[in-house]
Amino acid sequence: CYMCGGTPSTDIELSGYALMTLTLLGELGDAFPVSKFLIAKRNALGGYHSTQDTVVALQALAQYAAAAYSAGTSLSVEATPSHAGAGTTTFEVSADNFDIMQQKPVEVGGVVAVRVRGKGTAIVTLALHYNLPTPVVEPAYLFDVAWAYAGARATVRACAREHPSLAARRRRRRSSEAEALGSGMVLMECGLLTGYSALGESLEALQASNAAVKRYEVEPGKVVLYLESVGADEDTCVEFTASRDFTVTRLASAVQEVKSYYHPAEHAVAFVAGPSDVELAALDRDAVGASGSQTGGSGTSTGGSGGSGGNSGNAATTPRVSARALFGAMGAVAACAVALG
């Protein structure tokens, strides 16, 4: 590495600036090993770690290629696997196609020997594609979300703390990167059930009363909370109110996520199940003054992908809808359909 000391992305970016500087100074001999380093670090698609380092590296390589170009290129490149019976793949590079990337499949097995004949310079890249089982990753946070319903409104409470293994994972990184990261800002994305929206006054009250909440954003279907940090010793909790704007039956679960702002791979996901259709009917009766009990849904992060939420209620006081009432309502709908037809 020619400009080491930072993250892999900064190594590429700084090496790109070094290559551009050497090329502008005409030091092509010193620039050659830097260009080899950048070429060797490319991925199979020709890019690097981020948009920024890819732009800088490609600009540097383009300037170097323009300065080092020599007319009369004529090359024959042969790639031959070492295992028995393997065929040879040939690439022809000339003044007519030197600026065109050629791709051909090569048989897998053994060592691939590359033989070049002719005059000029060419870049040969061998990309091996294979499948690996998805690793089981522990969640970075212990994450719990619960909805408590009362009529057409619901109180959303979300709590998170760092997973005990997160500190050990951070220590395995480079010391400079870990020191710069610290605990860092955390994003808590609270997904809203279909038909519900967050009340602006409750979010303003949350930001004013909770020092951990630095700002919030309301996006379609979710509320994004920017938390100063989430510790490992105690839960960081937030609470706001959501209002049901319209009723949707057979509600799908809402996705909840908490993640590090600077390292999104450090995250945890949970799912909150909405009330059932019968519970929604009971909540509607509560909203117009009928007696009823609260119901709730909650989700807890487990195993890195989140746990399923559940519904709970008081069986003794929760209003029930009889089968006769349900079939009676269906008959009324069918009668209307016949009359309209």
Side-chain angles (χ1 to χ4, degrees):
C1 172
Y2 284 81
M3 300 297 291
C4 289
T7 63
S9 182
T10 57
D11 290 346
I12 296 298
E13 188 173 349
L14 292 175
S15 297
Y17 285 123
L19 179 58
M20 283 190 278
T21 301
L22 292 171
T23 301
L24 290 174
L25 294 175
E27 303 290 342
L28 299 184
D30 293 333
F32 178 68
V34 184
S35 68
K36 288 182 62 178
F37 168 76
L38 289 175
I39 291 170
K41 293 298 181 180
R42 294 191 310 169
N43 58 37
L45 300 177
Y48 296 90
H49 296 86
S50 67
T51 302
Q52 178 68 17
D53 64 8
T54 298
V55 169
V56 173
L58 293 182
Q59 181 181 359
L61 289 172
Q63 292 182 6
Y64 174 78
Y69 171 72
S70 59
T73 298
S74 179
L75 292 171
S76 177
V77 181
E78 297 178 350
T80 306
S82 60
H83 66 86
T88 299
T89 303
T90 304
F91 300 86
E92 300 293 339
V93 182
S94 64
D96 297 328
N97 67 355
F98 75 95
D99 56 349
I100 299 175
M101 184 176 66
Q102 301 181 48
Q103 291 182 318
K104 294 182 181 180
V106 177
E107 295 183 29
V108 177
V111 178
V112 178
V114 178
R115 182 177 182 181
V116 183
R117 300 176 181 177
K119 175 185 177 182
T121 303
I123 300 172
V124 179
T125 302
L126 179 63
L128 178 63
H129 299 271
Y130 53 92
N131 297 319
L132 290 175
T134 302
V136 177
V137 180
E138 290 183 334
Y141 300 91
L142 301 176
F143 189 32
D144 181 76
V145 184
W147 284 49
Y149 304 92
R153 293 194 173 185
T155 300
V156 182
R157 180 176 175 82
C159 296
R161 71 165 63 186
E162 287 187 354
H163 194 280
S165 66
L166 183 58
R169 280 183 257 172
R170 284 176 174 160
R171 282 195 294 269
R172 288 196 292 266
R173 299 188 190 137
R174 297 185 182 187
S175 58
S176 60
E177 185 180 356
E179 291 170 1
L181 176 65
S183 59
M185 181 176 289
V186 172
L187 295 183
M188 184 178 287
E189 298 183 355
C190 299
L192 300 173
L193 294 168
T194 304
Y196 284 83
S197 62
L199 294 181
E201 56 266 26
S202 71
L203 293 174
E204 293 175 1
L206 170 63
Q207 185 176 8
S209 61
N210 193 326
V213 180
K214 293 307 177 182
R215 59 176 293 192
Y216 68 86
E217 294 177 354
V218 179
E219 299 182 2
K222 65 181 177 180
V223 175
V224 182
L225 302 170
Y226 291 75
L227 307 181
E228 183 175 19
S229 63
V230 170
D233 298 329
E234 60 181 0
D235 288 342
T236 298
C237 296
V238 298
E239 188 174 298
F240 63 90
T241 303
S243 176
R244 180 151 48 94
D245 302 323
F246 53 89
T247 300
V248 177
T249 59
R250 302 178 66 181
L251 279 170
S253 299
V255 181
Q256 322 289 319
E257 184 178 15
V258 59
K259 60 186 176 182
S260 168
Y261 181 84
Y262 298 102
H263 283 261
E266 295 179 358
H267 75 128
V269 178
F271 298 87
V272 171
S276 66
D277 294 350
V278 174
E279 290 171 335
L280 281 174
L283 291 171
D284 287 337
R285 285 195 294 274
D286 291 344
V288 296
S291 61
S293 64
Q294 282 191 347
T295 60
S298 63
T300 303
S301 63
T302 57
S305 60
S308 300
N311 298 324
S312 63
N314 189 331
T317 58
T318 301
R320 298 179 180 274
V321 180
S322 66
R324 179 179 299 177
L326 287 175
F327 283 112
M330 293 173 62
V333 173
C336 291
V338 172
L340 292 174

